[in-house]
């Protein structure tokens, strides 16, 4: 009888004050490690508690307040702040209370990196608020309650997206454009389709310029290029799943899914719903490349709507050029004829610079025609022609046709071959101002590029007004940058001595929510500008060594990109590590 009474008391005590012991937690960790089961599921089974008691005990163990199902439904989810895709992926939902404060509810307190991931996502959405100014409150909910809550709101989202869905379906039926939205992601039944759509959705939300899908022995790794630097964002396990994801990209790009031995290039469009509820088209250029483990894909994101918004009011000031560079570059762009070249690697902002100068010189009194691949910005009052090589419209053929269209100023997106180079030079010599880009490391390498393309040196120097080489340097995050003196090894690696760094205001970002933990936020252009005069022209025509051309250029006011980059370090705007990544010591 006494034993029965003791059993009832113990059972009642467990019901009133359920607990999870450290021993049970350690046992669950061992079992989860051996069986590869989720730790949370193993611990709940070992505890022997029902769902409500387990949640209470887990909250006590991890020192978190708890949310039951009634409390979840009492608040409104904010899927703009933490998108539905991330909420489902991480098992976490952002809620707003009656005071509009943010309450984050999640199920797995044993994921040590989850809070940091979620806070980075939310802080990026909040923009000008920091987590210190706008604190987040974390609570626990049972994973089954959280799953049911998210499932319930899938239906709500479909109802809210009704009109958008009709528009997207109509567009898809007519043009085969992929719909990238919360609705489409939540409705996808295929894991591969859901993975591809979620990857593109996340990339657009993060402001990535490129998406890299890299196949390795274990599956597929996803990387985003943000501010010119690749960051790993996730992936999928398994070679078979990796092949299916690449095949899905090929289908969207109308490429040959059976061909896996040679590179392929394509493009497709997606429909994206913005924060204002409006649907817009985003273009993606696709490059498929065979690799040792299968195939890799790189998707270049061309958000024309966003770029057009940026183009409004675009000028050299907004690009961050130094005042002396801007003044001299403007003088070259105001010449009535001749050629003005901008050079640099892919992604260094060459086209953006040309758009900035076109926006400044476009007074409406001149006929301005561009030929580009593709048209990235839409400028009012400018005739913009997209290259279409499948139809035979190349840079060279388009440039010939432009000359019959009575232009005053011409922009050629890129000089890639000898034919385009010859026509561009002749256009500059016949009274047109030609703005164009070419790939080279610095302003002096451009001379060699045109020589290799069989352009007559005398014609080249007669046509050219100036060459500008540029790079984009990441800027220290203003929210977390602090004074930090670099060590002697880094100073020496940067080609400096401690005496030369006297007066430098060294700063470095520590990493925060505003900069996604990188320490950098935004980029700024640095440049070296070579203005041609008679002396430099004579040196090039007589094929004098590059050393003499450099000496004459320096006397004419040319300053290297390395010097421009060091000036940013001196002012505390960037770091030695960043300028070493972008520029060379030579």
């Amino acid at each position: 009888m006494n034993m029965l009474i003791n059993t009832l008391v113990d059972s009642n005590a467990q019901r009133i004050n359920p607990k999870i012991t450290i021993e049970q937690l350690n046992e669950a960790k061992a079992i989860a490690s051996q069986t590869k089961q989720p730790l949370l599921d193993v611990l709940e089974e070992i505890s022997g508690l029902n769902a409500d008691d387990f949640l209470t005990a887990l909250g006590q163990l991890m020192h978190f307040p708890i949310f039951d199902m009634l409390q979840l439904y009492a608040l409104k989810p904010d899927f703009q702040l933490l998108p539905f895709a991330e909420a489902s992926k991480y098992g976490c939902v952002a809620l707003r209370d009656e005071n509009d404060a943010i309450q984050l509810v999640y199920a797995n307190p044993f994921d040590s990196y989850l809070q940091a991931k979620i806070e980075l996502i939310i802080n990026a959405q909040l923009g000008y608020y920091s987590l210190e100014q706008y604190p987040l409150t974390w609570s626990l909910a049972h994973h089954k309650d959280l799953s049911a809550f998210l499932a319930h709101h899938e239906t709500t989202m479909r109802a809210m997206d009704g009109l958008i869905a009709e528009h997207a379906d109509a567009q898809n039926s007519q043009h085969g454009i992929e719909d990238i939205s919360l609705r489409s992601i939540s409705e996808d039944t295929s894991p591969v389709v859901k993975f591809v759509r979620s990857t593109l959705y996340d990339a657009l939300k993060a402001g990535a310029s490129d998406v890299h899908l890299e196949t390795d022995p274990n599956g597929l790794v996803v990387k985003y290029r943000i501010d010119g630097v690749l960051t790993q964002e996730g992936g999928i396990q398994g070679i078979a799943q990796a092949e299916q994801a690449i095949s899905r990209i090929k289908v969207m790009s109308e490429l040959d899914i059976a061909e896996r031995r040679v590179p392929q290039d394509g493009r497709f469009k997606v429909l994206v719903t913005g924060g204002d509820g409006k649907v817009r088209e985003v273009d993606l250029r696709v490059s498929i490349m065979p690799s040792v483990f299968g195939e890799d894909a790189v998707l270049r994101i061309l958000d024309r709507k966003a770029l057009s918004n940026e183009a409004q009011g675009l000028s050299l000031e907004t690009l961050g050029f130094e005042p002396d560079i801007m003044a001299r570059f403007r003088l070259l762009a105001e010449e009535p004829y001749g050629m003005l070249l901008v050079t640099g690697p892919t992604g260094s902002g060459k086209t953006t610079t040309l758009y900035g100068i076109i926006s400044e010189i476009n007074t409406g009194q001149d006929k301005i025609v561009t030929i580009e691949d593709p048209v990235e910005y839409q400028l009012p009052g400018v005739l913009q022609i997209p290259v279409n090589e499948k139809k035979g419209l190349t840079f060279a053929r388009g440039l010939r046709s432009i000359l019959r269209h009575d232009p005053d100023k011409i922009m050629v997106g890129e000089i890639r071959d000898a034919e385009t180079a010859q026509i561009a030079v002749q256009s500059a010599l016949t009274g047109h101002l030609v703005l164009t880009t070419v790939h080279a490391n610095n302003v002096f390498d451009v001379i060699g590029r045109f020589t290799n393309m069989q352009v007559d040196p005398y014609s080249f120097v007669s046509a050219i007004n100036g060459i500008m080489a540029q790079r984009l340097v990441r800027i220290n995050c203003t929210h977390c940058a602090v004074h930090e003196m670099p060590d002697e090894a880094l100073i020496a690696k940067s080609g400096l001595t401690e005496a030369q760094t006297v007066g430098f205001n060294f700063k470095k970002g520590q990493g925060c929510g505003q900069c996604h933990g990188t320490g950098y936020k935004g980029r700024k252009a640095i440049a070296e500008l070579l203005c041609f005069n008679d002396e430099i022209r004579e040196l090039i025509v007589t094929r004098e060594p590059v050393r003499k051309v450099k000496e004459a250029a320096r006397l004419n006011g040319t300053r290297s990109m390395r010097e421009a980059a060091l000036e940013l370090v001196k002012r505390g705007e960037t770091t030695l590590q960043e300028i070493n990544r972008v520029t060379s010591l030579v």
Side-chain angles (χ1 to χ4, degrees):
M1 185 69 179
N2 290 335
M3 184 178 296
L4 177 60
I5 293 173
N6 291 335
T7 302
L8 290 173
V9 169
D10 291 342
S11 174
N12 189 49
Q14 187 184 52
R15 184 181 61 80
I16 294 173
N17 187 26
K19 288 184 179 180
I20 298 173
T21 65
I22 298 299
E23 290 75 14
Q24 288 175 323
L25 179 59
N26 290 333
E27 181 185 355
K29 286 180 178 179
I31 294 174
S33 177
Q34 293 173 358
T35 63
K36 306 301 181 184
Q37 290 179 273
L39 173 58
L40 205 62
D41 293 346
V42 175
L43 182 61
E44 184 170 6
E45 184 177 348
I46 288 177
S47 71
L49 301 172
N50 61 39
D52 291 338
D53 288 345
F54 175 73
L55 179 61
T56 301
L58 186 63
Q60 292 175 351
L61 177 68
M62 304 303 293
H63 303 287
F64 275 106
I66 61 172
F67 260 55
D68 59 23
M69 188 62 101
L70 291 177
Q71 289 173 297
L72 279 174
Y73 279 95
L75 301 183
K76 182 180 178 181
D78 189 340
F79 291 124
Q80 288 294 330
L81 190 62
L82 181 63
F84 186 83
E86 277 91 346
S88 301
K89 177 181 178 181
Y90 297 120
C92 178
V93 64
L95 305 172
R96 295 277 192 177
D97 62 19
E98 62 276 4
N99 299 319
D100 207 34
I102 302 170
Q103 180 72 242
L104 290 170
V105 181
Y106 74 137
N108 186 7
F110 301 113
D111 188 339
S112 57
Y113 298 105
L114 180 59
Q115 284 195 29
K117 291 176 185 175
I118 298 299
E119 288 182 356
L120 283 175
I121 294 170
I122 289 180
N123 204 35
Q125 297 294 329
L126 290 175
Y128 53 85
Y129 284 118
S130 67
L131 291 179
E132 291 78 12
Q133 295 169 321
Y134 211 165
L136 307 175
T137 305
W138 287 85
S139 300
L140 288 179
H142 196 278
H143 65 93
K144 292 182 180 179
D145 290 346
L146 205 55
S147 297
F149 179 78
L150 289 170
H152 168 78
H153 280 282
E154 285 186 24
T155 306
T156 306
M157 284 192 302
R158 290 193 196 100
M160 291 174 62
D161 286 346
L163 294 175
I164 296 172
E166 290 179 9
H167 175 74
D169 291 341
Q171 292 289 329
N172 289 343
S173 63
Q174 293 176 11
H175 306 292
I177 301 177
E178 195 84 6
D179 178 21
I180 305 296
S181 64
L182 293 175
R183 180 190 66 86
S184 66
I185 293 171
S186 63
E187 289 179 349
D188 285 332
T189 56
S190 168
V192 173
V193 174
K194 179 174 287 190
F195 167 76
V196 172
R197 286 182 170 175
S198 298
T199 298
L200 296 179
Y201 181 86
D202 294 343
L204 288 163
K205 293 288 284 184
S209 62
D210 301 84
V211 179
H212 290 240
L213 305 175
E214 300 177 355
T215 307
D216 64 17
N218 302 315
L220 198 69
V221 176
V222 177
K223 297 178 181 178
Y224 297 158
R225 186 177 295 279
I226 302 174
D227 283 342
V229 178
L230 285 176
T231 58
Q232 186 169 330
E233 297 293 335
I236 51 176
Q237 295 293 316
I239 292 295
Q241 287 77 11
E243 290 177 352
Q244 291 174 20
I246 298 295
S247 295
R248 174 61 183 167
I249 296 293
K250 287 183 176 180
V251 169
M252 296 166 70
S253 310
E254 299 182 354
L255 299 177
D256 185 358
I257 62 172
E259 181 56 74
R260 297 182 178 179
R261 297 164 295 178
V262 297
Q264 297 187 68
D265 296 320
R267 60 182 62 195
F268 64 92
K269 295 181 180 181
V270 296
L271 287 174
V272 179
T273 305
D276 55 1
K278 295 182 179 179
V279 178
R280 70 180 188 276
E281 289 184 5
V282 175
D283 293 326
L284 292 102
R285 284 192 296 180
V286 178
S287 173
I288 306 292
M289 193 70 65
S291 70
V292 175
F293 305 107
E295 289 179 297
D296 286 12
V298 174
L299 287 70
R300 167 65 59 87
I301 298 173
L302 299 170
D303 191 347
R304 295 186 183 180
K305 174 70 174 176
L307 291 173
S308 296
N309 291 338
E310 290 178 14
Q312 295 177 7
L314 184 65
S315 65
L316 297 182
E317 277 91 353
T318 60
L319 300 175
F321 286 105
E322 295 296 315
D324 61 326
I325 292 288
M326 286 190 294
R328 298 170 69 197
F329 193 65
R330 284 190 176 111
L331 287 175
L332 294 174
E334 290 170 1
E335 293 287 338
Y337 53 82
M339 180 184 289
L340 184 54
L341 277 164
V342 180
T343 186
T346 300
S348 60
K350 302 185 299 294
T351 304
T352 307
T353 297
L354 290 184
Y355 274 116
I357 201 64
I358 286 176
S359 298
E360 291 189 8
I361 65 177
N362 183 17
T363 61
Q365 297 178 344
D366 295 318
K367 179 74 172 181
I368 302 177
V369 185
T370 75
I371 180 165
E372 309 165 57
D373 183 24
V375 175
E376 297 184 11
Y377 294 79
Q378 296 175 3
L379 298 175
V382 177
L383 173 58
Q384 296 174 274
I385 305 168
V387 165
N388 190 338
E389 293 188 357
K390 290 183 179 179
K391 299 295 184 181
L393 179 55
T394 61
F395 276 116
R397 183 175 178 181
L399 189 50
R400 283 199 189 95
S401 299
I402 288 172
L403 294 175
R404 296 192 291 269
H405 207 69
D406 189 28
D408 295 296
K409 295 176 173 62
I410 303 168
M411 175 185 148
V412 182
E414 183 184 344
I415 292 180
R416 300 173 178 171
D417 53 69
E419 186 179 8
T420 306
Q422 295 278 3
I423 300 170
V425 168
Q426 292 302 317
S427 302
L429 291 173
T430 53
H432 303 91
L433 179 65
V434 179
L435 308 171
T436 186
T437 72
V438 66
H439 285 291
N441 290 325
N442 55 60
V443 293
F444 304 103
D445 288 348
V446 173
I447 301 168
R449 285 296 307 275
F450 275 79
T451 301
N452 291 336
M453 287 189 282
Q454 307 302 315
V455 175
D456 175 52
Y458 186 81
S459 298
F460 173 70
V461 298
S462 300
I464 195 77
N465 292 337
I467 305 171
M468 184 167 75
Q470 69 176 66
R471 299 288 189 278
L472 294 177
V473 176
R474 292 184 296 170
I475 300 301
N476 287 329
C477 175
T478 56
H479 292 85
C480 63
V482 296
H483 293 280
E484 184 176 302
M485 186 68 183
D487 56 37
E488 293 181 4
L490 178 57
I491 291 175
K493 182 182 177 181
S494 304
L496 299 171
T497 63
E498 290 193 18
Q500 290 174 313
T501 61
V502 173
F504 275 53
N505 182 24
F506 287 111
K507 285 187 177 182
K508 185 178 180 181
Q510 301 302 295
C512 66
Q514 291 285 342
C515 58
H516 298 276
T518 63
Y520 301 97
K521 187 173 178 63
R523 291 188 289 177
K524 191 172 185 178
I526 57 171
E528 63 182 13
L529 180 61
L530 173 60
C531 299
F532 277 67
N533 57 18
D534 290 342
E535 182 185 1
I536 293 175
R537 288 187 171 95
E538 288 175 7
L539 291 172
I540 294 173
V541 170
T542 57
R543 299 182 183 275
E544 294 291 334
V546 175
R547 174 179 54 80
K548 289 189 176 182
V549 179
K550 288 183 177 180
E551 290 173 358
R554 191 159 189 86
L555 292 173
N556 195 35
T558 298
R559 184 180 64 163
S560 70
M561 277 188 291
R562 183 69 179 186
E563 291 175 287
L566 283 171
E567 187 61 32
L568 293 183
V569 175
K570 186 175 183 179
R571 298 201 299 258
E573 294 185 40
T574 190
T575 63
L576 288 176
Q577 292 95 328
E578 176 65 7
I579 70 166
N580 289 342
R581 182 185 70 85
V582 173
T583 64
S584 64
L585 293 175
V586 182

